[in-house]
Amino acid sequence: MKSGSNLEKVLQAGHFALTAELGPPMGPSDEEIKQKMEILRGNADAFNITDCQTAVVRLSSIAAAIMLVQGGMEPVMQMTTRDRNRIAIQADILGAAAFGIKNCLCIAGDHQKFSAAGKLKGHPGAKNVYDVDSIQLVGILKKMRDEGLMEGGDPLDVAPRLFIGAAWTPMAHPLEFRVTRLAKKVAAGADFIQTQGIYDVERFAEIMVEVRNLGLHEKTAILGGVIVPKSAGMLRYMDSSVAGVSVPKALIKRMSAAGEAAGKDKKQARRNQSKEGIKIAVELIEQLRETEGVRGVHLQAIEWERAIPRIVEPAGLLPRPHV
Amino acid sequence: MIKANSKPLGEVFGFIENCKKVLVLGCGGCATVCQVGGEKEVGVLAQALRLKAGTEGKQIEFLENTVTRQCEPEFVDPVVEGLGDVEAIVSTACGVGVNHLVERGCPVPVFPGVDTVFMGSTLEHGEWAERCAACGQCVLHLTGGICPIARCAKNLLNGPCGGTTEDGMCEISTPENPVPCAWAEIVERMKQLGTLQELGEIQPPKDWSTARDGGPRRRVRADLKLDRQEQKVQS
Ligand code: SF4
Ligand code: SF4
């Protein structure tokens, strides 16, 4: 055991793992986090806490992750290299580990100019850090854990026990390099991988053949990403504007049809689409489960945590294993 | 070369509005090449400032001069020594020029007439793009000659983030300000060169101490200094 985290144990015991996302609020509201925790409790093996996603300030991922630990739930603390240099990164990792946080997802993070894709003001004038990239971050954590050394070479008093994760966008341009990117993350020390949301499972399955040929699925645990669709509009937006996400036309049609079935009743149209979205998510989970080399799923219901229990139950993923 | 943009006229005028005599000082180097601060632009700026002073009812005399390079003592020193009753300088050189004038003992305030933006190349007439960030330890041999420090929005060293769009643009790209993904270009270039497999190699965290992060930089070439001393001794 590298970390002894629940996620690590579930994977090691050979279970199909399940992680779900919990987005911290845009204010110091422990109430909101607690509410989300109660919605999600028991519905996944570990819960990703986003780190100022889309470069919008939110309650810090470390603080929210500590709240989860104290509330008896397991976090996957996300950490971007956008906002911290290697000094802050390592200090934060030690602090997180001291509070019992064991899983860390290493990402570059959205550029500050991205700021919620222009929906919020964000901080486009901020200075970014990018002292290291996500692969180097994985390497830093591995060095801390396995060698008990800081990046600069100084010894740590005690090595943190970490289960190290990385993100992977299998279908982003340039396609011919994406499997190499995964291979680099694995070589750097990624114990698990959470992929970008996948709607086109067929195309993903083709890429997984290449992944298996390189044996990468055995060196790391790949969790397929599922972003719960809320409406046809959201699917269209994801298809056209989110890098590395392509949504098959048939899925968009299905969602539109669900909405149209409500006639002029807009509320009902929204309800229909949410329902259809949940159904689609369940189907995606099933398809990913059948894809060889995929060892779990990572569920994201963005600002819609309530959807998670409604998905994992019909997907046959409950109860979560006790290991 | 170094690229710059003209500062808004109102901003520049605000610097000197209470002076009686102002020198607008151009540079014959980069600022001339990117058509923002050479002899021609000095003339245009001085004239615009004169008109502005007129409409604001201010009596200001504007002198014009353009030196070969504002970053060299030999060109700047005569200007500093011959200022007479000039009360301020507006420099249309890059920021280096302004600093250098101060460093050479300029007794009056020196104000920037331009915003220095980057080191880059000419894409076509009237269009320039950043190409080097002077990190002090060049990695271009690893990336097919395309700079990931200056051209990737996150200066990543191990390949593209997940934000590259389908048409090879960076996640920060907008229709008004298109930014190609440097890593998409690096991958394409190395594919052409048949060296793509080299990108499989993990690049460790970069030593940024040679970049601006290590503090202000200075370069000393002892051999050149010695040469000059010898020349002086001989003459
Ligand atoms: S690697 Fe450094 S020195 Fe080389 S082009 Fe890029 S910024 Fe300039
Ligand atoms: S999209 Fe490309 S250029 Fe932009 S940050 Fe990502 S890798 Fe760098």
Side-chain angles (χ1 to χ4, degrees), chain A residues 25 32 51 58 84 92 155 161 190 192 216 238 244 288 290 307:
Chain A
E32 198 174 326
D51 181 14
R58 288 170 181 277
R84 303 170 183 82
D92 281 350
R161 296 185 71 204
F192 69 99
L216 297 173
M238 303 257 305
L288 285 168
E290 278 158 24

Side-chain angles (χ1 to χ4, degrees), chain B residues 151-154 156 159-161 163-164 169-172 180-184:
Chain B
R151 297 170 70 176
C152 164
K154 304 176 187 169
L156 307 175
C161 74
T164 320
M169 303 302 278
C170 174
E171 70 180 29
I172 65 158
C181 168
W183 275 103

Side-chain angles (χ1 to χ4, degrees), chain B residues 131-140 147-150 206:
Chain B
R131 290 298 179 249
C132 170
C135 73
Q137 286 182 66
C138 197
V139 300
L140 288 176
C147 176
I149 312 292
K206 188 171 168 68

Side-chain angles (χ1 to χ4, degrees), chain A residues 81 86 108-111 113-114 127-136 140 151 169 172-174 176-178 180-181 183-185 187-188 196 239 243-246, chain B residues 153-169 171-172 177 181 183-184 187-188 191 196-208 213:
Chain A
T81 62
R86 63 193 83 175
D110 298 310
H111 192 275
K113 257 195 178 175
F114 195 79
K127 190 177 199 303
N128 63 28
V129 181
Y130 292 119
D131 176 20
V132 297
D133 61 30
S134 58
I135 288 175
Q136 292 163 347
I140 289 173
E151 192 276 332
T169 310
H173 185 83
E176 63 267 59
F177 193 64
R178 293 298 165 177
T180 311
R181 273 286 282 180
K184 286 179 89 166
K185 291 187 173 189
Q196 170 63 290
D239 186 46
V245 176
S246 77
Chain B
K154 304 176 187 169
N155 56 248
L156 307 175
L157 286 168
N158 280 293
C161 74
T164 320
T165 67
E166 229 168 300
D167 45 358
M169 303 302 278
E171 70 180 29
I172 65 158
N177 182 27
C181 168
W183 275 103
V187 167
E188 192 53 41
K191 208 165 73 183
L196 190 57
Q197 77 288 346
E198 288 175 17
L199 286 183
E201 197 74 24
I202 292 177
Q203 295 308 320
K206 188 171 168 68
D207 173 2
W208 294 104
D213 309 86

Side-chain angles (χ1 to χ4, degrees), chain A residues 162-316:
Chain A
L162 297 166
F163 199 47
I164 306 167
W168 180 43
T169 310
M171 283 178 261
H173 185 83
L175 276 177
E176 63 267 59
F177 193 64
R178 293 298 165 177
V179 174
T180 311
R181 273 286 282 180
L182 175 65
K184 286 179 89 166
K185 291 187 173 189
V186 174
D191 302 308
F192 69 99
I193 296 287
Q194 292 173 318
T195 78
Q196 170 63 290
I198 293 156
Y199 291 103
D200 194 341
V201 183
E202 229 168 276
R203 253 181 82 201
F204 175 65
E206 282 164 23
I207 299 170
M208 281 303 293
V209 175
E210 222 181 305
V211 169
R212 290 198 301 274
N213 287 343
L214 294 172
L216 297 173
H217 64 306
E218 281 159 359
K219 296 188 186 128
T220 194
I222 298 172
L223 312 189
V226 172
I227 302 176
V228 187
K230 223 175 182 172
S231 65
M234 172 187 169
L235 281 180
R236 254 181 250 121
Y237 170 78
M238 303 257 305
D239 186 46
S240 66
S241 307
V242 178
V245 176
S246 77
V247 185
K249 294 265 170 313
L251 278 190
I252 301 179
K253 262 202 192 138
R254 241 177 92 180
M255 273 297 235
S256 304
E260 283 153 17
K264 289 212 172 77
D265 187 345
K266 277 196 181 147
K267 247 192 182 164
Q268 187 60 37
R270 266 203 301 275
R271 268 203 295 271
N272 283 0
Q273 296 205 10
S274 307
K275 247 196 199 159
E276 197 64 28
I278 284 173
K279 246 201 225 158
I280 289 174
V282 172
E283 290 168 26
L284 289 170
I285 292 175
E286 279 160 3
Q287 289 163 11
L288 285 168
R289 201 170 184 166
E290 278 158 24
T291 308
E292 211 184 316
V294 174
R295 298 194 21 212
V297 282
H298 173 52
L299 257 180
Q300 287 166 270
I302 300 156
E303 287 302 312
W304 189 26
E305 280 84 358
R306 282 183 190 285
I308 304 280
R310 290 167 62 194
I311 293 164
V312 295
E313 150 94 298

